[in-house]
Amino acid sequence: MSKGIAITGMGIISSIGNNVEENYRSLIEGKTGISRISKIKTLHKDHIMVGEIAFTNQELEQQIGLTPDNNYSRTALLGVTAAKQAIQNAGISNINKYKTGLISATSVGGMDKTEAYYHDYFENKATQKYIAGHHAGDSTQKIAEQLGIEQSLVTTISTACSSAANAIMLGARLIKSGQLDRVIVGGSDCLSKFTINGFKTLMILSDTYNTPFDENRKGLNLGEAAAFLVLESDKVVQTESKTVLAYVKGYGNANDAYHQTASSENGDGATLAMQKALKVAELSSSDIDYINAHGTATGNNDLSEGQAILRVFDKGVPDFSSTKAYTGHTLAAAGAIEAVYSVLALQNNVVYPNLNFKTQMKEFSMTPQLELKEKELHTVLSNSLGFGGNCSTIIFSKKQ
């Protein structure tokens, strides 16, 4: 049994940076990655804004060292990029020295390739390999192959926007129970027409920069990204004399079973998830120094999450902000993206500004942090709330 769940490595690629350092620089400089879409031909290109990664698929393939005849989706390319960064950051040279698993999250999977080739499926057999990479597990398998993980647990989680947070939680539990010594956890999602059209149908896409927790918020900006963290047991940390970036202190998930896409107005699921995470961490609400809110800038989420935060923290709500105005909503990857941001906040003792906020919501009086704030942090709570009522909370700390 491992008492501590140490984070020893991180990797990330998003619309605000191609690695951990670039992402952090953008966060503290208030640099958003939201823009008009350029890499996808869509009828909505003039009506929505997204968080798009600058690299083309060809550039990502070259960086990874793939041959042109590969069938990697953009989701897989982004995932491999971030996962390799995390392994390098953790200083791992022999990934199979300890019992090592991979838990990767995605919701888009290989949809980008399916969109491009499904019309030719029966006419051109050469394109069928791209459709074979459609399923959610394909990107996970490719990441495992690229990392060289052998004869261990490799699995995929797809619980909408809480997916990567649940990957972190499952990885932590596997280490805590002694089933694995090390788990690479995170998620990857690319932009696709399918996602754009789906969210457009739900009428929750903004035509301008998203404004989390603002009274006049118009909806979310979709984003693409990937992030992975290396979780290791006490045994590995001590044996290898590893540098610990932070610890996974607590975790919890719940489902309010309210609606197919909307969260309950009172935030029942989010409330339960936060309460469970605090219980696992053996902390009280007053021990939380900063909340990295899910904060998608939709009418439903920000009201529901805000009510949940008030139910858990009452009059003692700590500093909180959403980073979705930087990256857009990266769907299944969001929990991992914001896990990296939470660890960076702990390491640097900063609270990120909630960009684009202008008008206080009328339903409650709490206001997100509006400017970069330097503050001694010991614990950060991060929420990831998804469709279908999937609500997850992770607590990160400097100490076990």
Side-chain angles (χ1 to χ4, degrees), residues 50-276:
V50 297
E52 199 170 34
I53 291 170
F55 287 132
T56 64
N57 285 2
Q58 290 70 32
E59 289 170 328
L60 291 167
E61 289 167 0
Q62 290 170 4
Q63 291 173 23
I64 296 170
L66 297 175
T67 57
D69 62 344
N70 74 85
N71 74 330
Y72 277 55
S73 66
R74 187 167 176 84
T75 293
L77 293 170
L78 297 176
V80 169
T81 300
K84 283 191 169 184
Q85 288 179 20
I87 294 300
Q88 183 178 12
N89 184 227
I92 297 171
S93 56
N94 180 0
I95 200 163
N96 295 303
K97 183 177 179 181
Y98 298 94
K99 291 183 294 183
T100 300
L102 169 68
I103 306 172
S104 183
T106 188
S107 62
V108 178
M111 181 60 74
D112 61 319
K113 293 296 185 183
T114 300
E115 291 171 348
Y117 295 106
Y118 80 98
H119 286 298
D120 303 324
Y121 185 82
F122 292 109
E123 286 72 27
N124 185 356
K125 287 189 176 182
T127 66
Q128 293 180 5
K129 65 181 180 181
Y130 300 111
I131 312 300
H134 173 83
H135 65 91
D138 180 77
S139 59
T140 306
Q141 291 169 353
K142 286 181 166 62
I143 294 167
E145 290 168 3
Q146 287 287 329
L147 297 182
I149 295 176
E150 301 171 355
Q151 298 179 343
S152 188
L153 183 140
V154 174
T155 192
T156 307
I157 289 182
S158 188
T159 55
C161 310
S162 64
S163 302
N166 285 332
I168 295 169
M169 179 167 61
L170 178 55
R173 293 177 64 187
L174 287 166
I175 291 174
K176 185 174 283 190
S177 63
Q179 295 180 65
L180 291 175
D181 302 313
R182 175 196 292 141
V183 192
I184 295 89
V185 295
S188 179
D189 260 343
C190 70
L191 287 167
S192 70
K193 288 183 181 180
F194 177 84
T195 318
I196 292 169
N197 292 342
F199 278 82
K200 189 71 174 176
T201 301
L202 292 171
M203 298 184 288
I204 56 173
L205 291 183
S206 176
D207 59 357
T208 185
Y209 298 97
N210 73 81
T211 58
F213 296 104
D214 190 283
E215 171 64 22
N216 300 311
R217 60 199 183 281
K218 299 176 70 176
L220 59 83
N221 302 131
L222 288 169
E224 59 180 0
F228 284 87
L229 302 91
V230 177
L231 307 184
E232 295 187 306
S233 67
D234 293 335
K235 179 182 77 172
V236 176
V237 170
Q238 292 164 7
T239 303
E240 303 291 333
S241 300
K242 301 294 285 285
T243 298
V244 177
L245 306 179
Y247 290 91
V248 177
K249 184 72 172 177
Y251 41 78
N253 66 358
N255 193 305
D256 56 22
Y258 175 76
H259 186 267
Q260 294 96 324
T261 58
S263 299
S264 63
E265 292 181 359
N266 294 322
D268 293 337
T271 299
L272 283 169
M274 287 187 276
Q275 289 172 338
K276 286 183 177 182

Side-chain angles (χ1 to χ4, degrees), residues 25-44:
R25 192 179 311 125
S26 294
L27 288 168
I28 62 172
E29 292 176 357
K31 178 184 175 184
T32 182
I34 305 301
S35 63
R36 293 294 175 192
I37 195 164
S38 64
K39 290 182 174 61
I40 296 177
K41 293 180 180 179
T42 169
L43 297 172
H44 307 301

Side-chain angles (χ1 to χ4, degrees), residues 240-316:
E240 303 291 333
S241 300
K242 301 294 285 285
T243 298
V244 177
L245 306 179
Y247 290 91
V248 177
K249 184 72 172 177
Y251 41 78
N253 66 358
N255 193 305
D256 56 22
Y258 175 76
H259 186 267
Q260 294 96 324
T261 58
S263 299
S264 63
E265 292 181 359
N266 294 322
D268 293 337
T271 299
L272 283 169
M274 287 187 276
Q275 289 172 338
K276 286 183 177 182
L278 287 166
K279 184 177 181 180
V280 170
E282 298 181 345
L283 296 174
S284 66
S285 59
S286 61
D287 293 318
I288 302 300
D289 300 313
Y290 169 42
I291 300 173
N292 184 302
H294 189 58
T296 60
T298 63
N300 173 253
N301 177 87
D302 294 7
L303 174 60
S304 178
E305 185 177 13
Q307 298 288 19
I309 289 171
L310 286 171
R311 288 173 65 181
V312 174
F313 293 91
D314 196 18
K315 296 179 181 179

